[in-house]
Amino acid sequence: MKGLELSRKYYEAFGRQMIREQFPDIADQTAAGLVGYGSECLGFDDAVSTDHDYGPSFCVWLPRDLYAKYGSRMQAAYDALPKEFMGCAARVEEEQGKGRVGALCLEDFYLEILGRGSVPGTAAEWFAIPEAALATATNGAVFEDPCGKFTEMREGLLSYYPREVWLKKLAESIARAAQAGQYNYARAMKRGERVAAELALTEFVKETMQVVYLLNKKYAPFYKWMHRGMKELAVGSEIGDMLALLYQIPDPAAAWEGAAPTDYLYHLNTDDGRVLIIEAVCNVLVQTLNEMGLSGRQDNFLQNHVGEILGRATE
């Protein structure tokens, strides 16, 4: 069973009753759900995930004043709930996984993940928060939130970046993808710098995935889950399969043997299958930018679209 489903069922079986019966005076001021760190919050958990920080659990978020007064008592009540549930063993927590479930201070939950306890108001404040942190703060599910305080913060974040921030981040990732995949990969291969070439390829993949998340206006998760998460995106999800092909190409070193310093400056080395895939990916991105009205250019070099995107940031 997926961790998020297990969490919801566990809360419905024991958590709701615990809160209403043992804390009736504040039941309407708490929020419950499962949000935060862990693959189960993204819905990406599997059999491998069950070796740590997996098991019947949920979060109860209390505003700071109530947490100070009731937090320890509510945690004790949470700890007294059955440890095993629906055939699932008790949650086994690693040291760094402690404090992710149970009774939590609402403000500190967001403060720990984002470095702030309110929705960013300026472009600088948005840029200061790592995107994976925004994904962590808005994943999972809220089961109940009668007073709406937790959900208010959550929905403010899910409203996504302001247009200026969105387009500037998109332009930055487009430029980095172009530099890594369409420029530095070939230069490194010509020099025989295989480590540099592999780093350029990885940077291209990472920035391309970032671009796809931005085009979907969805926060990209921690790098381990970026490619997996692309399957669920509405725009450009096929790019995930294309990127996977880059790691199935046989060693391309032979395609660059004897390359002179000036070779492949103005045309592609089509003997390297990775080059072909990189260009195919860039072509899909260019077509998507055109369709979304973010660029009017047709050429395949992503760098040439950066100015178009930035120009739209001030419209």
Side-chain angles (χ1 to χ4, degrees):
M1 181 184 298
K2 289 283 189 176
L4 192 57
E5 180 185 0
L6 176 65
S7 176
R8 185 184 295 274
K9 291 182 180 297
Y10 185 60
Y11 172 75
E12 291 174 348
F14 300 108
R16 181 183 292 118
Q17 181 179 0
M18 175 199 80
I19 294 171
R20 292 180 179 178
E21 292 186 357
Q22 298 187 45
F23 304 92
D25 294 342
I26 62 168
D28 62 350
Q29 300 178 66
T30 66
L34 186 67
V35 180
Y37 299 101
S39 57
E40 69 276 14
C41 295
L42 292 164
F44 297 160
D45 53 312
D46 53 22
V48 177
S49 309
T50 60
D51 65 340
H52 68 284
D53 301 330
Y54 176 87
S57 59
F58 57 86
C59 305
V60 181
W61 296 282
L62 303 172
R64 189 181 304 281
D65 57 336
L66 295 183
Y67 182 78
K69 186 174 181 180
Y70 295 96
S72 59
R73 286 168 50 195
M74 186 166 286
Q75 183 62 46
Y78 175 89
D79 291 338
L81 296 177
K83 299 296 186 291
E84 298 180 3
F85 178 66
M86 296 186 68
C88 294
R91 180 181 173 94
V92 178
E93 294 182 334
E94 293 187 338
E95 186 62 32
Q96 60 268 35
K98 292 182 178 179
R100 295 181 180 178
V101 294
L104 304 172
C105 173
L106 187 156
E107 291 84 355
D108 286 349
F109 173 82
Y110 284 112
L111 185 63
E112 178 186 344
I113 296 173
L114 303 175
R116 59 182 297 116
S118 61
V119 177
T122 66
E125 290 173 346
W126 279 105
F127 279 121
I129 304 175
E131 190 158 340
L134 289 165
T136 299
T138 57
N139 63 20
V142 179
F143 306 152
E144 287 189 301
D145 184 11
C147 72
K149 189 173 182 180
F150 184 88
T151 303
E152 180 182 7
M153 175 75 172
R154 179 181 175 88
E155 290 181 347
L157 296 171
L158 285 171
S159 294
Y160 205 63
Y161 296 121
R163 180 177 174 82
E164 176 190 2
V165 175
W166 172 54
L167 291 178
K168 285 183 176 180
K169 288 179 73 69
L170 178 62
E172 181 181 25
S173 285
I174 285 280
R176 287 180 174 174
Q179 182 185 52
Q182 295 180 289
Y183 183 76
N184 280 328
Y185 172 74
R187 294 172 73 85
M189 289 300 289
K190 281 199 296 185
R191 292 186 172 113
E193 293 283 352
R194 295 301 304 277
V195 173
E198 294 300 320
L199 287 173
L201 186 71
T202 298
E203 182 74 1
F204 170 75
V205 170
K206 180 175 73 70
E207 292 300 334
T208 297
M209 291 191 293
Q210 183 72 53
V211 168
V212 175
Y213 277 92
L214 285 162
L215 292 174
N216 281 273
K217 294 189 176 182
K218 184 176 178 63
Y219 299 124
F222 181 56
Y223 75 88
K224 182 172 68 170
W225 299 115
M226 286 179 73
H227 187 259
R228 166 64 180 80
M230 289 180 72
K231 297 177 182 179
E232 302 175 4
L233 301 179
V235 177
S237 60
E238 72 275 16
I239 290 176
D241 293 333
M242 298 170 74
L243 294 175
L245 293 175
L246 287 169
Y247 298 97
Q248 299 175 30
I249 298 294
D251 187 347
W256 298 89
E257 289 180 359
T262 57
D263 287 345
Y264 310 118
L265 288 180
Y266 304 108
H267 64 281
L268 304 174
N269 182 355
T270 57
D271 291 330
D272 185 340
R274 286 178 170 178
V275 170
L276 296 177
I277 294 172
I278 288 171
E279 291 302 315
V281 167
C282 293
N283 182 260
V284 174
L285 289 178
V286 168
Q287 297 308 311
T288 303
L289 292 174
N290 292 163
E291 291 168 4
M292 295 181 67
L294 298 175
S295 175
R297 300 180 66 103
Q298 295 294 323
D299 55 287
N300 220 49
F301 189 40
L302 293 180
Q303 180 64 46
N304 292 337
H305 297 266
V306 171
E308 294 255 334
I309 297 169
L310 290 175
R312 285 160 172 75
T314 56
E315 291 178 351

